């Protein structure tokens, strides 16, 4: 039996319909499992149809679309009816500068365009710590990545959408602790992907977190308490 979705105040929330871009990513898979277990409908956007079985095992449906080869109109059609979208896609650590532009920036903006077209107001962004300190001139691929994430965040903040931007520190694969530090500025640190997924889950169930841009690292505050304080 699934639990009743509830926000921090204990108020039951209706089951949400959430679409996650980058649906086979490591954070995305953890979030899909959490949302499905909590009774929400969850759909992941994947570009490789072979990944659909993994999503099904996590309790998620699949939308097969390549975010680097899709129009905003087609993406809007795919996400219409959703309550929220989450951008958890990324070119990945081995991708070059070009894919920082087409995925980390381009696909995030495409998803915002599609959300507006489809009338999906809630947009939760997986951003990154350091985006506000990117070197504007460096050709180093990490700086290109930070600039791409910064541009996607700025684009989202300028829109009339109910956005929340979460900027994790260095992602690690240790088990989640359920405790984090979530603040405008946390200082540099690590955070388990499982705790990032936990925070995203709580953010989705907490509409009052809209309008926040927060950094995220491991800490001592229970996730629900940290998100409720936003
Ligand atoms: N690494 C860090 O320390 C760190 C720190 C802070 C923030 N972040 C951010 O957190 C994000 C999520 O982290 P993660 O570890 O969960 O990432 P991940 O495992 O690399 O997942 C990214 C997903 O994006 C998908 N994707 C890439 N291009 C796509 C396209 N054109 N269409 C559809 N999907 C596409 C990938 O799919 P394929 O499998 O098909 O390639 C992959 O499943 C990262 O992308 C990064 O921006 C990372």
């Amino acid at each position: 039996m699934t639990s009743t979705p509830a926000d921090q105040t204990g108020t039951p929330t209706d089951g949400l319909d959430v679409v996650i871009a980058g649906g086979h990513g490591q954070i995305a898979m953890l979030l899909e499992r959490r949302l499905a277990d909590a009774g929400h409908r969850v759909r992941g956007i994947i570009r490789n149809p072979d990944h659909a079985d993994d999503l099904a095992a996590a309790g998620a449906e699949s939308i097969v679309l390549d975010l680097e080869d899709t129009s905003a109109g087609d993406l809007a059609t795919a996400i219409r009816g959703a309550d929220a979208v989450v951008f958890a896609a990324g070119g990945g650590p081995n991708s070059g500068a070009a894919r920082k532009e087409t995925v980390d920036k381009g696909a995030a903006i495409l998803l915002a365009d599609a959300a507006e077209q489809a009338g999906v107001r809630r947009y939760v962004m997986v951003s990154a710590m350091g985006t506000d300190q990117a070197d504007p001139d460096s050709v180093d691929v990490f700086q290109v990545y930070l600039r791409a994430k910064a541009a996607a965040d700025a684009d989202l903040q300028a829109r009339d959408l109910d956005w929340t931007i979460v900027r994790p520190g260095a992602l690690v694969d240790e088990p989640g602790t359920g405790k984090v530090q979530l603040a405008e500025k946390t200082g540099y640190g690590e955070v388990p992907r499982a705790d990032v997924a936990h925070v995203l889950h709580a953010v989705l169930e907490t509409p009052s977190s809209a309008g926040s841009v927060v950094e995220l690292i491991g800490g001592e505050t229970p996730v629900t308490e940290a998100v409720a304080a936003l």
Side-chain angles (χ1 to χ4, degrees), residues 21-28 45-48 51 65-69 88-93 99 103-104 107 126-129 145 149 167-172 193:
H24 195 256
Q26 297 166 88
I27 291 173
I45 299 173
I46 54 174
R47 58 179 177 162
N48 180 349
H51 290 160
L65 277 179
D66 185 337
L67 293 168
E68 293 164 277
D69 189 21
R99 294 197 67 237
V103 185
D104 296 280
V126 181
S127 181
M129 192 175 290
Y145 163 75
K149 296 296 281 180
R167 293 176 168 166
L171 302 175
V172 295
R193 285 180 170 85

Side-chain angles (χ1 to χ4, degrees), residues 129-218:
M129 192 175 290
T131 52
D132 47 358
Q133 289 146 18
D135 181 333
D137 304 313
S138 172
V139 294
D140 174 76
V141 74
F142 184 65
Q143 296 301 322
V144 175
Y145 163 75
L146 289 179
R147 289 201 297 270
K149 296 296 281 180
D153 288 1
D155 173 86
L156 185 58
Q157 287 176 267
R159 293 179 190 257
D160 179 24
L161 290 173
D162 299 328
W163 45 260
T164 303
I165 296 174
V166 178
R167 293 176 168 166
L171 302 175
V172 295
D173 289 326
E174 267 83 70
T177 65
K179 293 182 177 176
V180 295
Q181 189 179 339
L182 194 62
E184 194 176 335
K185 287 288 163 201
T186 59
Y188 184 74
E190 295 183 343
V191 60
R193 285 180 170 85
D195 285 331
V196 178
H198 195 162
V199 166
L200 298 171
H201 180 186
V203 160
L204 285 162
E205 291 184 353
T206 308
S208 61
S209 65
S212 293
V213 183
V214 284
E215 294 183 345
L216 168 62
I217 60 173

Side-chain angles (χ1 to χ4, degrees), residues 11-171:
T11 308
T13 53
D14 291 336
L16 297 170
D17 180 343
V18 180
V19 176
I20 304 176
H24 195 256
Q26 297 166 88
I27 291 173
M29 294 286 298
L30 294 164
L31 179 59
E32 285 156 5
R33 169 71 71 192
R34 289 192 68 93
L35 291 170
D37 285 352
H40 301 296
R41 180 186 185 196
V42 56
R43 293 178 278 165
I45 299 173
I46 54 174
R47 58 179 177 162
N48 180 349
D50 293 345
H51 290 160
D53 288 347
D54 291 339
L55 269 69
E61 301 164 44
S62 289
I63 298 170
V64 180
L65 277 179
D66 185 337
L67 293 168
E68 293 164 277
D69 189 21
T70 303
S71 69
D74 285 348
L75 187 53
T77 299
I79 69 173
R80 191 159 280 121
D83 297 301
V85 293
V86 178
F87 187 80
N94 299 321
S95 67
R99 294 197 67 237
K100 307 304 180 196
E101 284 295 311
T102 56
V103 185
D104 296 280
K105 177 181 169 184
I109 291 174
L110 186 80
L111 184 64
D113 286 339
E116 285 185 344
Q117 287 185 28
V120 179
R121 288 200 53 84
R122 190 79 171 105
Y123 188 127
V124 178
M125 175 75 89
V126 181
S127 181
M129 192 175 290
T131 52
D132 47 358
Q133 289 146 18
D135 181 333
D137 304 313
S138 172
V139 294
D140 174 76
V141 74
F142 184 65
Q143 296 301 322
V144 175
Y145 163 75
L146 289 179
R147 289 201 297 270
K149 296 296 281 180
D153 288 1
D155 173 86
L156 185 58
Q157 287 176 267
R159 293 179 190 257
D160 179 24
L161 290 173
D162 299 328
W163 45 260
T164 303
I165 296 174
V166 178
R167 293 176 168 166
L171 302 175

